[in-house]
Structures are given as C-alpha cells and as structure tokens.
Amino acid sequence: MIPIILDMDPGIDDAVALSIALSNPSIDIKLLTSVAGNVGVDKTTNNLLKLTTFFHQTQIPVAKGAAAPLKKDFSDAAYIHGESGMPGYDFPQVTKEAIKLDAVTAMAEELEAAIVPMTIVATGSYTNIAMLIQKYPSLLHKIEKFVLMGGSLSGGNVSSVAEFNVFTDPDAADIVFKSGVPIVMIGLDVTLKALLPFETIDAIGSQGEAGEMLQKVMTAYGDTAEGGKPMHDVNTICYLLNPEFYTVKDYWVDIIVSGPAAGATIADTQNRWSEGRLNAQVAVDIDTTAFEKWFVEQVPKMNQYRKEGN
C-alpha cells in the first residue's frame, strides 16, 4: 500500500479523485486535510466528511486547513463547482467531525510518526503544504514526494498563463517548488486531455450507488470541454497507481508570484537559466484511452467496497 496524506479542496473533481482513493486497496490514506480553494474551507472540510461517511471510512482523520492564501485575497471557484462544492447528490448525514488539530499540525504529527517517507498529494492550492515546509523544515526528509495537481506549460484556465490551484496561492506554490522535496507536477498539459466523454459519465449512473453519486456530481460540474469533462484531480491518483500512463519530463520550474502573469509555472525547457538544476517531474502527455478504461473500472470496485462495509 502507498501511504499518503491527501490535501484537497473538494470541489467535484477532488471528490471523484477521493472516491477512487478511499476505495482502492493499494492506497493507504493516513490523513485528509482541507484547504480553501474551489469553495471556502468550512465547505471543503464538510465535503471531506461527506465522502468519508459515504465510503464508510470515518476512521481516517480529517483536519481543517488554511482559510485563505498566504498573501493574496481569496477567491473561490463556486461558479464551476457550485455553492456547496459538491452539488447534485444528497449525501448521507455526516457522522463525524474534523479533528481538533489544524491541518499543518496534523500533517507534522503524521510525518513524525511515519516509519517510511510518505507521499503528499495535493489537489487544491498549496497553502497548507507551504506552511508545513516553513514551520517544520526538519520533517522534509519524511516526505518521499509531492504529487501536485496544478500548473501548466501550455496556458492557463484562470488567465492566459495560470492554472487555478497555483493562481489561488502563487506564494505557496513558490515555497513548495523551492523546497527541495521531489515534485511530480500534473497540470493542464495532461488533465485537459484526460476527458471523460459525456456518454461515459451517463453510463456510470446506472452502476450502483457509487456510480449514481459520481454521475450526479460530475453532471453538476461546470468545467466542460469539447467531447467531455476533464477530471483534473483524478490524475493524481491515477498517476500514483499507473505512472506508466504518463509521459514526464524533468525541468526546473519557477512560479510567478505577482503581476499579470501571477500563477504561471515557467519551466526552463531550454536550460537557459536553471544551470542544470531540476526541481520537478512535469507530466506532458497521457495515454487517454488507458485513463478512461482505468476510470470506468474503478466504479464497480467502489460499489463492492461499500457493499462489504469497509
């Protein structure tokens, strides 16, 4: 099993990613942490609790994280994800609360107790992770790598150059990319290719309770491309389990933190200023057929997992 800390801002594509992770026997989620992003942090925290309840995984601790970026004003994406962040499905009553520790403290305690280095997967802004790096630098050796949904080498989705997660808190992203911890950056270069066709989404709805839930929340998702819907955050979990689906290249990546290009992720693809240094493996292509097939195969696994009452 792959031990991970999962830092999220659900958000519909986060919810789909978490649904797969919660019901996959190869992934051991040690801690779930929330951050403000797609909607405010109270809502993202509640959405984590909804999903752990739905999948009978209430033993996984959920810790509430940052309510705002490090420096800039917070602006959500409720126009894409709905006011609650997970509209479209009537989730069961939440049966637990977030733990009393804040996300950064909870992350630090989990890392300190870890026997082997852990992977931190982040599908929202990187505010919690940046605060962890700043407050607990002595624990960085306990982090095997960051797997980040975010960034783009080919243009943005909230500006001409910036992807949402990095744009939300570019100062945090700058800290993370300069941390020295190995990074896998899974950005728009691949997530906009990893579309789920509309007919596939419709078909999932008839595949048990998990399929019905996924179909309803994905249908409510405002992010639509020609031919389907991009499940951006799902790619982090897919990469953990199937790295062979992705083509990655090693680059030095800088973060623009202010001005009209704020949130841009600039890779030194021509080795002009990085002097041979590398700080990220950047996903630049994906086997889209394999991704869709893998995704569809997860739905019956989710239903079986819920049926067995895990």
Side-chain angles (χ1 to χ4, degrees), residues 13 16-17 19-20 195-196 200-201 204 207 214-215 218 231 234-235 238 242 245 288-302:
D13 53 333
V16 179
S19 296
I20 295 172
L195 301 177
L196 285 182
T200 298
I201 295 173
I204 287 171
Q207 297 181 31
L214 290 174
Q215 188 270 334
M218 286 191 286
M231 290 292 123
V234 174
N235 284 271
C238 185
N242 307 282
F245 291 0
T288 56
T289 301
F291 174 83
E292 183 184 349
K293 180 177 183 291
W294 168 82
F295 183 93
V296 171
E297 290 171 349
Q298 304 315 300
V299 181
K301 293 179 182 178
M302 293 182 204

Side-chain angles (χ1 to χ4, degrees), residues 63-104:
K64 183 178 176 181
L70 295 179
K71 295 181 181 180
K72 67 178 291 190
D73 292 336
F74 172 60
S75 180
D76 68 21
Y79 62 96
I80 295 290
H81 295 267
E83 287 301 314
S84 72
M86 287 190 341
Y89 184 78
D90 186 15
F91 283 90
Q93 183 70 32
V94 168
T95 58
K96 63 175 285 186
E97 297 180 350
I99 63 175
K100 296 189 182 300
L101 293 179
D102 66 272
V104 176

Side-chain angles (χ1 to χ4, degrees), residues 246-269:
Y246 297 82
T247 301
V248 299
K249 293 186 177 181
D250 294 324
Y251 289 125
W252 179 269
V253 177
D254 278 314
I255 311 297
I256 306 301
V257 298
S258 62
T265 43
I266 309 299
D268 187 7
T269 59

Side-chain angles (χ1 to χ4, degrees), residues 172-210:
D174 187 49
I175 291 168
V176 171
F177 275 79
K178 290 177 178 174
S179 67
V181 175
I183 290 171
V184 179
M185 175 181 132
I186 302 179
L188 301 180
D189 309 288
V190 296
T191 68
L192 289 175
K193 296 176 183 177
L195 301 177
L196 285 182
F198 298 114
E199 57 270 23
T200 298
I201 295 173
D202 289 342
I204 287 171
S206 62
Q207 297 181 31
E209 289 183 85

Side-chain angles (χ1 to χ4, degrees), residues 82-250:
E83 287 301 314
S84 72
M86 287 190 341
Y89 184 78
D90 186 15
F91 283 90
Q93 183 70 32
V94 168
T95 58
K96 63 175 285 186
E97 297 180 350
I99 63 175
K100 296 189 182 300
L101 293 179
D102 66 272
V104 176
T105 304
M107 282 181 176
E109 290 195 358
E110 196 64 52
L111 289 171
E112 197 161 21
I115 298 173
V116 296
M118 297 180 63
T119 295
I120 297 181
V121 179
T123 65
S125 66
Y126 313 144
T127 312
N128 292 334
I129 300 174
M131 294 169 68
L132 175 72
I133 292 166
Q134 290 181 316
K135 192 171 182 181
Y136 298 99
S138 64
L139 292 176
L140 295 187
H141 72 284
K142 289 291 200 78
I143 305 172
E144 180 177 342
K145 62 180 174 288
F146 296 127
V147 177
L148 309 175
M149 191 280 128
S152 174
L153 305 187
S154 55
N157 60 357
V158 289
S159 77
S160 58
V161 293
E163 178 276 330
F164 177 79
N165 286 345
V166 179
F167 180 82
T168 298
D169 195 343
D171 298 284
D174 187 49
I175 291 168
V176 171
F177 275 79
K178 290 177 178 174
S179 67
V181 175
I183 290 171
V184 179
M185 175 181 132
I186 302 179
L188 301 180
D189 309 288
V190 296
T191 68
L192 289 175
K193 296 176 183 177
L195 301 177
L196 285 182
F198 298 114
E199 57 270 23
T200 298
I201 295 173
D202 289 342
I204 287 171
S206 62
Q207 297 181 31
E209 289 183 85
E212 179 188 3
M213 181 272 288
L214 290 174
Q215 188 270 334
K216 287 185 174 180
V217 298
M218 286 191 286
T219 299
Y221 189 33
D223 195 350
T224 300
E226 184 176 353
K229 296 195 176 191
M231 290 292 123
H232 303 283
D233 298 333
V234 174
N235 284 271
T236 58
I237 305 303
C238 185
Y239 174 84
L240 281 180
L241 298 170
N242 307 282
E244 69 277 7
F245 291 0
Y246 297 82
T247 301
V248 299
K249 293 186 177 181
D250 294 324

